[in-house]
Each structure stands twice: as C-alpha cells, then as structure tokens.
Amino acid sequence: MSAATATDACPRVSRRFRLQWEEAQNAWVLLYPEGMVKLNQSAGEIMRRCDGSRTVSAIVADLEQAFGASGLADDVAKFLELARAQQWIET
Amino acid sequence: MSAANLAPQPGPPLWLLAELTYRCPLHCAFCYNPVDFATSGPELSTDDWLRVLREARAAGSVQCGFSGGEPMLRDDLELLVAEAHRLGFYTNLLTSGVGLTAERAAALKAAGLDHIQLSFQDSTRELNDFLSHTRTFDLKQRVAALIKDNGWPMVMNCVIHRLNIDYIDRIIEMAVELGAEYLELANSQYYSWALLNRDQLLPTREQLERAERITNEYREKYGDRIRIFFVVPDYHEKRPKKCMNGWGNVFLTVTPDGTALPCHTAKMLPGLAFPNVREMGVREIWYESEGFNRYRGDGWMKEPCRTCPEKEKDLGGCRCQAYMLAGDPAAADPVCDKSPAHGVVVEALARAESGVGRSAPLVFRDPAASRRLAEGAG
Ligand code: SF4
Ligand code: SF4
C-alpha cells in the first residue's frame, strides 16, 4: 500500500498545482503552467479535503457524513492512488 | 435568429492570451507576430487591460498568458499580473528574459505570478551561432537563476527550424544545464514571418527524424529530471492539427491594439471583422460577435471536410493556413492529404528536400521590414 492510501497519512495538494472552484464550469479545477484539469464532482470533493491536516480516514468520514453515504473508503483510496500517480497530491 | 443560435452554446473562453505589446528587442525570423505589426494602432492603456481582465474572468477565463512582443517592455506588467492574480487567474508570463531583472522578478513574484515560460530566443541575428553565443547563454543563465530563486517551475521553450534542428542535442543539454524541468521543442509553424522565410526554415524529413530520435535518447537518459515535449511541424503530417482546440472554443487572444481574436493570426482572414475590446465587452465578443461565430463547430465546412468521418478530430485544421495556402478560409487545411490544395504543402516539402531558396537572405522581424512589407501588401 502506498503512502497516499495509508489511512493515517495526510495528503495535500501538490505545490505544482492549484486547486480552485470555478463557478463558470461548476467544478473544482487543478491549475498548472498553461494547463488545467477539470475534476468531476467526487474527485473535487476528495481533493478539496486534501489540505495536509486531515488523515485519509478523516477525509472518508467527512465525505460519508457530508453525503449521507457509507463504505466510501475503497473509492477514496482508489482515487488517491490515481491522484498520486498524476502528482496531484503529496503526502 | 441566425443559424449560429441553433448550434450548441460554446463553453467559456478558458484561456485569455493578453498580447501586451508588439514591441520587442529581438528580431526572430520565425516571429509569430503579424508581418504588418508595425502599422498596428496604439496599445491598450493600463485601465483598458484591467477592464479586459475583469470582464474575461467574469466570463469564465481562468488561464491568463501575458505575451507580446516582449511583455517585459510594459512597465505596468506587475500591476496587470497583480490584478489577474487577485481575480483568481492562473498567471503565465511568456518572455525571452530580456528585461527581467532581479527587482522585476521579485515584484512579479509579489504580484502573484504563477509561472514563467522562458524562450530560447537569441539577441543576435546569427541564427546559426546562437548556441555558441555567450551573451545569450549568460542572459538565460541569469534569468534561469531568478526563476529558480523565486520558486517558479522552470519551463523553457525553443522554436526549432532547419538552422538549429541539427543542434538539438546541444539545445537539450543547455536546457538541462540551466535546470529546466520542462522543455518544449516546438517546430516552427509557417505563419507570418516564418512563412516569408519558409524555404530557409523548413527542415528536411531526415533532419526531423534525426531530431526526434535524439530527443527520445535524451528522454531515456534523463527520465523525470526534465520532461521534453517535441512538437512536430504540421507540414510533415498527413492530417492537420485541431487548431486552437477549435475556433472560439477555449482561446481568446487580445492583441496590443485591443482586437479580440480566436487565435493570434486570425486577423489576416479576409471578409471577417473582429471586435475591439475598447468597443465591446468580452462576453458579447465571445458569444455574439460574427468574428467568433463564423468558424465555430462544423456548419461552415465545405467538401472534403463536410462529409469526412474524421471531421470532429481536427475540425478541418487551421483557418489561417487554409486561407494562406488554398486561398479560402473555409477550405480544408492543405496539410490534409485529402485537401485538393495539398500539393502546395508537398511542393514546400520538396523544396526543403532539394534546398531551393535556402541561400536567399532571411527576413528578420523588425519595424522597418514590417512597414515595408505592409506597404507592399497594401
Ligand atoms: S518571436 Fe522573437 S521577435 Fe517575435 S515577439 Fe517573440 S522574441 Fe520577439
Ligand atoms: S478532410 Fe477536412 S475534416 Fe477530414 S481529415 Fe482532412 S481536414 Fe480533417
């Protein structure tokens, strides 16, 4: 298991990117030199919680509460894995 | 209601390219500024630009590029960057590094500048010599150090053409030495000044293949240390590029005199009036103006594009190239081998192979040459 998905790790958005809410696109986006990634809703909700102070477990708990869902841990871990491969987040 | 209203509503102008000035201390023979730049009207004022930034941001723009000419020649650059940053833009500066002192770099950092793209232009007219020219290297080294010291990512760009393509290894090594994290090796596109100099600048296929092979070797050698992008010249392809990712789809260029364009060369197209930001707001320009609506989507296409199964892939290529090479902005881009005018591109490539016209003197970009050429055209 990689560092980003360890449940006690505290992922944060990489310094190479800026996470920002864009009203015109109704989405969270990641900005980088001369480029942009538009995140879908669940990716945006996970990323905005990656502030370096919350553990993965805390992020999952927060999401489950915010969306009245349960069993999100696997989806979150899968997304964080991908986000790490893209260097969107650091731990 | 016009036919354009039946087409789906385009998304916002995500990319704002602010061409702050056509003034430039350099004289690149491949310069992408219009050939008649010297006859362009007065530059927008600081207040005009501040208003354009606000209007574009309100219309959904999020990436902002400050370019030129040489944008460092505007002494309100820091002010404009600060406003763009305050508005929530991601701010990019495209510069040759001339005029970027430690003081200005610090002021730009304080203003919130996110990124600098440093181009490998030379300050001399000796294109062949530019790699060995110490003054150029010293300048790049000093600017590269400023970029690092201010914590910006180090992104370099070098325009590639027949006269420097054989030194691609040295260009890459120089970029590595300067600490570049990204290097864009962009083959010249044949517009404006580069079109005038096409015989001297278009590489042969062999040169191109060699350069790609060497680039790949360096990619293997350096791995993640430097990411190298190699942009092939479209003349050597069978299909055109999807120009600007689609006409009026994401890009909005504002030229120094305030003309709003779907791409920085579109002003050359005949029979099409483009609005000026002094007279029209950005939102109206983007959604309502004829200049932006004319070639949106695919309703304007003629054969062979209209019934082509690949039309969504490239949207028929570049309108300016269609006009320059086929004489009709609604034609297929002649780079496409289905275009009836494709022979023009084949001929240019044949000239490159045989070397005809190579020894003609290069036309360097400068105001005097520009005025001369504008008179000739008018
Ligand atoms: S291409 Fe060269 S001459 Fe043209 S604006 Fe850029 S630096 Fe100046
Ligand atoms: S015919 Fe037109 S649409 Fe088809 S590939 Fe060529 S340029 Fe593109």
Side-chain angles (χ1 to χ4, degrees):
Chain A
M1 196 179 250
S2 79
T5 54
T7 49
D8 58 349
C10 297
R12 76 174 132 74
V13 177
S14 148
R15 266 159 306 170
R16 290 164 181 249
F17 292 92
R18 188 162 94 211
L19 180 71
Q20 181 167 306
W21 172 255
E22 279 301 296
E23 197 60 48
Q25 300 174 63
N26 194 26
W28 289 89
V29 300
L30 282 169
L31 298 166
Y32 58 95
E34 294 166 58
M36 182 185 79
V37 183
K38 182 174 172 180
L39 298 171
N40 65 25
Q41 199 209 352
S42 51
E45 291 300 333
I46 299 171
M47 286 295 284
R48 63 185 287 206
R49 289 170 171 80
C50 294
D51 58 5
S53 74
R54 297 180 230 207
T55 62
V56 174
S57 322
I59 290 172
V60 171
D62 193 25
L63 285 165
E64 288 178 344
Q65 208 209 351
F67 295 95
S70 62
L72 295 182
D74 280 357
D75 287 345
V76 172
K78 235 181 261 157
F79 172 78
L80 290 177
E81 194 82 52
L82 174 124
R84 209 176 140 75
Q86 301 288 330
Q87 301 184 333
W88 294 343
I89 54 168
E90 318 168 320
T91 358
Chain B
M1 277 213 165
S2 74
N5 290 334
L6 301 173
Q9 171 91 340
L14 295 175
W15 242 109
L16 172 68
L17 184 67
E19 291 189 325
L20 298 180
T21 181
Y22 282 143
R23 287 172 289 140
C24 184
L26 305 188
H27 310 282
C28 304
F30 48 77
C31 182
Y32 44 81
N33 287 160
V35 168
D36 61 0
F37 75 88
T39 60
S40 158
E43 289 181 9
L44 291 180
S45 67
T46 306
D47 284 344
D48 287 330
W49 277 118
L50 291 171
R51 183 174 45 78
V52 168
L53 289 171
R54 286 180 205 126
E55 289 176 3
R57 182 70 185 129
S61 298
V62 60
Q63 282 284 354
C64 177
F66 293 100
S67 78
E70 175 48 67
M72 295 303 305
L73 289 177
R74 287 278 303 215
D75 52 19
D76 55 0
L77 178 64
E78 290 81 347
L79 209 88
L80 301 179
V81 168
E83 179 66 1
H85 177 73
R86 193 189 65 79
L87 291 165
F89 276 106
Y90 193 92
T91 50
N92 307 272
L93 173 64
L94 288 73
T95 178
S96 66
V98 178
L100 187 63
T101 58
E103 293 71 36
R104 290 199 79 183
L108 287 166
K109 185 70 189 182
L113 183 66
D114 291 297
H115 160 236
I116 294 183
Q117 186 202 80
L118 179 61
S119 56
F120 241 132
Q121 253 75 269
D122 187 21
S123 45
T124 73
R125 292 191 167 205
E126 306 303 318
L127 273 187
N128 287 308
D129 277 4
F130 95 113
L131 292 164
S132 53
H133 202 265
T134 48
R135 201 172 49 161
T136 303
F137 189 71
D138 291 348
L139 167 76
K140 299 305 179 217
Q141 205 160 30
R142 200 174 46 68
V143 173
L146 286 176
I147 291 175
K148 294 233 130 153
D149 291 350
N150 283 288
W152 284 305
M154 180 63 193
V155 180
M156 297 198 72
N157 169 284
C158 184
V159 174
I160 301 296
H161 46 71
R162 184 175 190 129
L163 301 170
N164 67 10
I165 194 167
D166 292 334
Y167 306 104
I168 201 112
D169 49 341
R170 288 168 57 195
I171 295 172
I172 297 172
E173 272 167 19
M174 200 183 284
V176 170
E177 204 178 318
L178 292 172
E181 294 156 71
Y182 302 88
L183 172 64
E184 185 178 76
L185 299 167
N187 270 279
S188 177
Q189 306 276 345
Y190 294 94
Y191 298 83
S192 311
W193 298 85
L195 184 63
L196 291 175
N197 294 309
R198 191 174 64 190
D199 278 343
Q200 298 94 318
L201 296 180
L202 188 64
T204 65
R205 181 158 297 276
E206 192 189 336
Q207 282 183 302
L208 189 65
E209 282 168 1
R210 178 177 173 274
E212 283 198 86
R213 191 181 70 240
I214 293 175
T215 303
N216 282 330
E217 286 165 15
Y218 274 97
R219 283 189 181 126
E220 266 177 38
K221 179 167 168 195
Y222 288 114
D224 281 346
R225 189 164 147 203
I226 179 165
R227 291 187 56 194
I228 310 175
F229 302 92
F230 190 90
V231 184
V232 293
D234 57 359
Y235 274 54
H236 290 268
E237 308 269 24
K238 296 265 178 292
R239 290 288 176 269
K241 59 186 182 296
K242 187 176 184 183
C243 192
M244 306 314 284
N245 214 12
W247 179 275
N249 186 33
V250 284
F251 286 96
L252 169 66
T253 295
V254 178
T255 64
D257 71 356
T259 310
L261 301 172
C263 87
H264 55 271
T265 55
K267 208 172 177 174
M268 70 166 81
L269 299 176
L272 197 50
F274 290 102
N276 191 293
V277 295
R278 295 185 218 252
E279 284 137 28
M280 203 187 275
V282 166
R283 189 179 289 274
E284 192 183 349
I285 287 172
W286 184 254
Y287 292 106
E288 316 277 338
S289 74
E290 165 66 3
F292 278 78
N293 279 325
R294 174 75 68 90
Y295 300 111
R296 272 199 170 116
D298 57 18
W300 52 271
M301 284 181 179
K302 300 179 175 174
E303 293 302 343
C305 299
R306 189 199 292 274
T307 54
C308 176
E310 294 173 68
K311 69 179 176 185
E312 296 311 316
K313 244 193 249 168
D314 57 41
L315 291 172
C318 169
R319 297 306 87 227
C320 298
Q321 198 142 268
Y323 170 60
M324 287 185 298
L325 303 182
D328 176 3
D333 184 333
V335 159
C336 180
D337 68 3
K338 297 185 192 180
S339 154
H342 183 60
V344 181
V345 173
V346 173
E347 197 203 319
L349 289 170
R351 288 174 71 87
E353 293 300 327
S354 71
V356 199
R358 274 202 75 176
S359 49
L362 285 163
V363 185
F364 288 95
R365 178 251 206 233
D366 70 28
S370 172
R371 275 189 291 269
R372 220 167 36 240
L373 288 157
E375 264 168 39

